[in-house]
Amino acid sequence: MEEEQKEESVRHFLDLVKKLRRGKLKIYIGMSAGVGKTYRMLQESHALLRNGVDICIGYVETHKRAETEALVAGLPVIPRRKIFYRGKEIEEMDLKGIMNRHPEIVIVDELAHTNAEGSKNTKRWQDVFDLLEAGISVISAVNIQHLESINEEIEQITGIAVTERIPDKILEIADEIVNIDLTADELVTRLKEGKIYDQSKIERALGNFFQSDKILQLRELALKEVVHQVERKIQTEIPKSIKLRPERFLACISSNAETAGIVIRKTARLASYYRSPWIVLYVQSDSESMERIKLDKQRYLINHFKLATELGAEVIKIKSNAITKTIIDIANEKEITTICIGKPHLNIFQVILRTAVFNGLLKNLAMKDIDLVILS
């Protein structure tokens, strides 16, 4: 028993040492391609190199932009790894090569990139995690549309389904986030001057993604994200002696495929803003038992549990016909401040008058210091 305690003490100390050695993460974020994220990263790299910092390029995507390519010159580059995939030779960032070289700082562009089959990790953001754990600091870049929790909102704005996404926790662990901001007019001017895409793609881009109303909405999302990151930093630096009401969110989902994903993503967003823990609760009544609901709904449920876990939630699954009581009990047990539910399919007044679950929930919450948010 004494030996086990000693081993546990050693492991705890090693964990502390590893945390201290962990690399720092800086992320340049922008509203779209062409705002100048990679350009700014390379400018910073030159400044760091002049100050004697051991910095290397692990992966940079210049998109053949002359201004950006000119800045690569003079910076140490770790050669990319060549992979044969489906009969073609492609290049990927050499994670092992960076680890072996072990620079003080490494530049890793295209944070949301999906690695080719055969790579150690599926996603580049996972590579960044490995680099940080190895004590290597990383400067990276990403567009706002790749953020998982606002994926559906982005699709509504742009009409494009973004498949390469990063979990919000990447931004949460970042030590510094810098927004590269341009006005819509400045961005369109850069596009027309051929500084973003070559001439053959400009007209199509102007007719699709690069429209003023879309750019403005994406710009707002990017600015909001950086503001919330600053707010998080302020919250973490407030002295512990000042007692604040800690926010805790509970997302209640059912097997309804349409609303469950919305509730999970929007609750993740709220929790991210407040830098607070959150829970996804699924109460399985007899009517939703695996013997009664269709296979496609079961698959959606499993995918939603997986999504919630990836976004940082604790997932709780309970079998009960007393749905209201179960929600309230979990809310009390976990000290929840806000319960999030999906927008009912019925008229809200019909729900309040006729639906026992909502009626009971509203009555119970009226007596407690818990907010109820209905997400559309």
Side-chain angles (χ1 to χ4, degrees):
M1 189 69 173
E2 187 177 338
E3 285 299 316
E4 287 180 8
Q5 288 176 341
K6 285 180 181 177
E7 285 292 323
E8 181 62 34
S9 177
V10 170
R11 282 196 295 270
H12 178 67
F13 181 69
L14 285 174
D15 287 342
L16 290 174
V17 171
K18 285 178 182 177
K19 285 180 181 178
L20 289 172
R21 289 178 179 171
R22 183 183 173 276
K24 301 294 184 183
L25 176 60
K26 181 174 184 175
I27 298 176
Y28 282 98
I29 195 167
M31 60 184 165
S32 76
V35 295
K37 302 179 299 299
T38 304
Y39 188 84
R40 281 285 297 275
M41 280 199 300
L42 293 172
Q43 280 185 320
E44 183 175 359
S45 300
H46 280 284
L48 291 167
L49 193 63
R50 286 194 298 271
N51 282 278
V53 176
D54 180 17
I55 185 167
C56 290
I57 293 176
Y59 190 97
V60 158
E61 189 56 72
T62 65
H63 297 287
K64 296 182 180 179
R65 294 166 189 154
E67 294 175 340
T68 308
E69 287 186 339
L71 281 174
V72 174
L75 292 172
V77 179
I78 296 172
R80 298 180 186 181
R81 184 168 60 99
K82 289 181 171 57
I83 297 176
F84 282 94
Y85 179 64
R86 293 181 179 177
K88 292 183 179 179
E89 185 181 77
I90 59 175
E91 293 182 338
E92 289 285 5
M93 184 177 77
D94 188 357
L95 178 61
K96 188 176 180 181
I98 298 171
M99 294 281 203
N100 292 338
R101 169 67 175 74
H102 210 283
E104 190 176 345
I105 303 174
V106 65
I107 302 298
V108 179
D109 207 353
E110 304 282 347
L111 187 59
H113 172 75
T114 301
N115 294 329
E117 284 185 25
S119 302
K120 178 182 181 290
N121 297 311
T122 306
K123 294 286 190 176
R124 186 166 289 160
W125 62 262
Q126 295 170 323
D127 293 338
V128 167
F129 261 40
D130 287 350
L131 293 169
L132 296 173
E133 289 300 314
I136 300 170
S137 293
V138 177
I139 301 176
S140 191
V142 71
N143 289 327
I144 191 66
Q145 59 261 40
H146 295 289
L147 197 58
E148 177 66 63
S149 67
I150 55 173
N151 177 250
E152 291 175 353
E153 193 172 348
I154 292 293
E155 188 171 349
Q156 288 175 1
I157 293 170
T158 64
I160 299 168
V162 179
T163 55
E164 291 190 322
R165 306 194 288 269
I166 63 168
D168 292 47
K169 64 184 176 184
I170 301 297
L171 297 186
E172 289 174 18
I173 67 161
D175 299 279
E176 187 177 356
I177 295 178
V178 178
N179 181 43
I180 305 300
D181 187 38
L182 289 178
T183 66
D185 288 343
E186 287 171 329
L187 187 61
V188 170
T189 298
R190 282 181 57 80
L191 177 67
K192 289 178 177 177
E193 290 174 349
K195 293 181 178 179
I196 300 176
Y197 301 130
D198 60 45
Q199 293 294 329
S200 63
K201 297 179 182 178
I202 292 175
E203 285 304 316
R204 182 190 290 182
L206 285 170
N208 295 319
F209 189 88
F210 286 81
Q211 296 177 20
S212 291
D213 59 331
K214 294 178 182 179
I215 294 170
L216 286 170
Q217 290 177 81
L218 292 173
R219 186 186 185 198
E220 181 185 18
L221 287 175
L223 290 168
K224 278 182 178 178
E225 185 58 40
V226 176
V227 167
H228 289 305
Q229 293 298 332
V230 172
E231 288 175 349
R232 284 195 197 104
K233 209 165 185 64
I234 292 169
Q235 286 175 4
T236 57
E237 292 173 4
I238 292 175
K240 291 182 180 179
S241 57
I242 302 174
K243 300 294 182 183
L244 299 173
R245 184 194 185 206
E247 293 288 343
R248 289 178 180 271
F249 294 88
L250 178 67
C252 299
I253 66 168
S254 67
S255 60
N256 186 302
E258 185 181 339
T259 59
I262 294 170
V263 171
I264 289 169
R265 284 194 173 92
K266 289 196 173 182
T267 307
R269 192 76 176 152
L270 287 168
S272 177
Y273 287 164
Y274 286 96
R275 199 179 180 84
S276 63
W278 63 294
I279 296 166
V280 169
L281 174 64
Y282 170 59
V283 183
Q284 186 187 69
S285 62
D286 289 344
S287 62
E288 290 209 339
S289 65
M290 291 305 167
E291 295 79 24
R292 293 192 178 185
I293 63 173
K294 294 179 181 178
L295 281 174
D296 61 337
K297 282 196 171 185
Q298 292 182 33
R299 284 195 295 270
Y300 279 124
L301 261 178
I302 292 167
N303 288 336
H304 286 138
F305 295 149
K306 183 182 176 184
L307 173 64
T309 303
E310 287 176 350
L311 290 174
E314 175 190 351
V315 177
I316 297 176
K317 292 170 267 188
I318 295 176
K319 290 184 179 180
S320 173
N321 287 321
I323 297 173
T324 301
K325 184 178 183 302
T326 303
I327 293 172
I328 295 298
D329 287 348
I330 291 295
N332 288 331
E333 179 189 333
K334 299 292 185 178
E335 298 180 335
I336 298 298
T337 59
T338 304
I339 294 174
C340 300
I341 60 175
K343 184 178 180 180
H345 294 292
L346 299 172
N347 176 290
I348 190 64
F349 298 107
Q350 290 177 317
V351 169
I352 293 171
L353 293 172
R354 299 180 191 176
T355 309
V357 173
F358 283 90
N359 203 9
L361 193 59
L362 290 170
K363 283 182 179 178
N364 275 276
L365 294 181
M367 298 181 287
K368 301 178 183 293
D369 191 19
I370 300 175
D371 297 324
L372 177 66
V373 176
I374 299 175
L375 300 169
S376 60

